[in-house]
Amino acid sequence: MANKSNFTWGGRFHEGPADLMLRFSESASFDRRLAPFDIAGSKAHCSMLAKVGLITAKERKAIHAGLDSILADIAAGHFAWDRRLEDVHMNIEHALTSRVAAGAKLHTARSRNDQIATDMRLFFKDACAVLGARVQAAQRALLGVAVANRDVLLPGYTHLQRAQPVFAAHHLLAWIEMLDRDRARLAGVAEKANECPLGSGAIAGTTLPIDREYTARLLGFVDKRGRARVTQNSMDAVADRDIFIEFASACALFGVHFSRIAEDLIIWSSAEFRFVSLPDAFCTGSSLMPQKKNPDSCELLRGKSARLQGNLHTLLALVKGLPMTYNRDLQEDKPPVFDSFDQSVICADVLEGTVGGMSFNRERCAEAVSDPGLLATDLADLLVSRGVAFRKAHRAVGAIVALAERKGCAIPDLSSDEVNRVHPAFGGDWASVFNLGRAMEMRRGTGMPGPSQLSRQFARWTKTLG
Ligand code: ARG
C-alpha cells in the first residue's frame, strides 16, 4: 500500500512516489533513533486527547499499549523499519494502526511538523545532559592528574616561547575552566529546549479543544516550580531551528577546546619537549619506523573538531534562506546534529582516557623550568617595588638579559657590579629573585598560579565536580 499511495497523506494522490524518490526522501534510516522520544510524545499527546474528550479512556489505553509494544520491538531489534514510510513518525504510526484500530485517532490535532519539533527538543534535553556528564568526567580526570602532580612546575608559554613559570596543575586547571564553560553552554541549550511545541500543528494550531499545558507537563516541559512551558507562536514553533544551531555551536566550541588541549599534549609529548608521556592505550606506532609512538588520539581530537565546525556551518546554511515556516529542507537538520552529538561524546571519552593515563616527566619539566629567563619579569617587579617606573625597570632588565646573552652566561651568573651599573636599584640581593619557590609563593592573588591559589582551586573544583 505504501508505495502506491502513502497511508498518511495518499488521499489526494493518484500515483505513489517513485522508488528513487522514496530512497531520496526517506529519513527513517537516521531519524529512527528518535523513536523513544517520538513514542513518549505520542503517549503524552494521546493522554491529553483522552483528557479533553477527543478519544475515550479505552482508546487511550489501547494506544498506549500499542506504543509500548512498538517501543519494546524497536529496543529488541525486531521492528521492521520501512523506508517507504519515510520517517520515524510514519513508521511508528503505521505499525500502531495495524496493531490497534484506535491508532488512527492518534494524529488528531497534531502534525509531523510540531511532532518533529517536539521529538528534537526532547532529544536536546537528553543529549545535553549526557554530553555534559561526559565532559564532566573528562574534567574529573584532569583534576586527578593535576592533584597528583601538584608540585610539578613548567614553563608557561605565549607565542609558544617560554614566558613565565606555572604549576602544571595551573595549566590543567585552565583546561578545566574551558570545559566548564562548555558544560554551562550545554545546560543553556537544554534550558532553551524546555518548551513544548505540541499543539502548534502544521503551522496554525488546531480548531479542536486541546490542552497544551497538560501535554507539556506530562513530557517534563516545566519550569522549576512545575509550571508548564509551551511555545508561544505556532509558526515559530515549527520553523525554528535555533536550538539545533546552538547545540551544534556548543559542540563546535567544545571541539575548539579539546583541540587546543590535544595540541598542547602533542607538543608536550614530542621529543623536543618531553614534558609528558601519553598512555600507550591511546597512541599508535608506525608501520615503518619502529621507534615511533604517535599521539593519535590527540591528533584525531584535533581533526574531529573540524568536523564539528562543519556540522555547525551546515545547519547555519540550511536555515538561512528558508521562507516561513516548515520546509522539507529541514529534514537535513538531523544528520549534522546527531553527528555532532555522537562525535562530541566519543571525543569527551577519549579526552578523559588520554589525560587520565598521561604522566609527567618530572626531571625534564624541572630542567625546562629552571631557565632563569622565566623570572626576568620578577626582576623588573623587584625594581618596581623599589620605586622604579615599570617601563624603566623593563628596559633595565632587558639590558641585563642582553648582557648575559653577550657574555654567554645565565642572568644569575652576572656579577652584582655589572648589574648595578645598569641600574643602582638592583642592590645586593637582586639574585634572590631567581628562586622558583619565591616566584610561585608571591603569586597569591585570585586566579594566579601560586601554591595557595592552587589549593583554593583544587578545593573549588573538587566540590564542583564531585
Ligand atoms: N521527517 C520530517 C522531518 O524531519 C518530519 C516532518 C515532515 N513534515 C512534512 N510536512 N513533510 O523534517
Side-chain angles (χ1 to χ4, degrees), residues 328-379:
R328 190 65 183 276
D329 318 42
L330 291 177
Q331 183 168 295
E332 288 293 311
D333 60 11
K334 282 167 280 301
V337 162
F338 294 153
D339 188 61
S340 283
F341 174 61
D342 295 339
Q343 292 303 319
S344 294
V345 165
I346 196 167
C347 285
D349 291 352
V350 167
L351 181 65
E352 179 193 357
T354 305
V355 297
M358 78 182 187
S359 55
F360 277 93
N361 181 344
R362 288 163 170 270
E363 263 170 47
R364 181 57 204 135
C365 292
E367 189 188 322
V369 81
S370 69
D371 175 354
L374 292 165
L375 297 174
T377 315
D378 294 38
L379 189 56

Side-chain angles (χ1 to χ4, degrees), residues 27 31 86-87 89 112-113 116 326 328 330-331 334:
S27 58
D31 67 16
E86 269 186 40
D87 57 22
H89 321 297
R112 278 184 295 154
N113 295 353
I116 188 63
Y326 178 84
R328 190 65 183 276
L330 291 177
Q331 183 168 295
K334 282 167 280 301

Side-chain angles (χ1 to χ4, degrees), residues 142-194:
L142 280 168
L143 183 62
V145 179
V147 171
N149 295 279
R150 69 170 299 160
D151 53 328
V152 174
L153 284 164
L154 281 177
Y157 293 78
T158 64
H159 312 268
L160 201 54
Q161 307 293 319
R162 282 183 184 168
Q164 293 183 303
V166 293
F167 281 108
H170 191 63
H171 194 131
L172 267 49
L173 289 171
W175 295 343
I176 293 179
E177 296 276 352
M178 286 148 66
L179 298 177
D180 219 52
R181 292 195 295 276
D182 293 324
R183 279 207 300 144
R185 257 184 293 276
L186 288 166
V189 174
E191 178 56 28
K192 285 202 181 140
N194 191 26

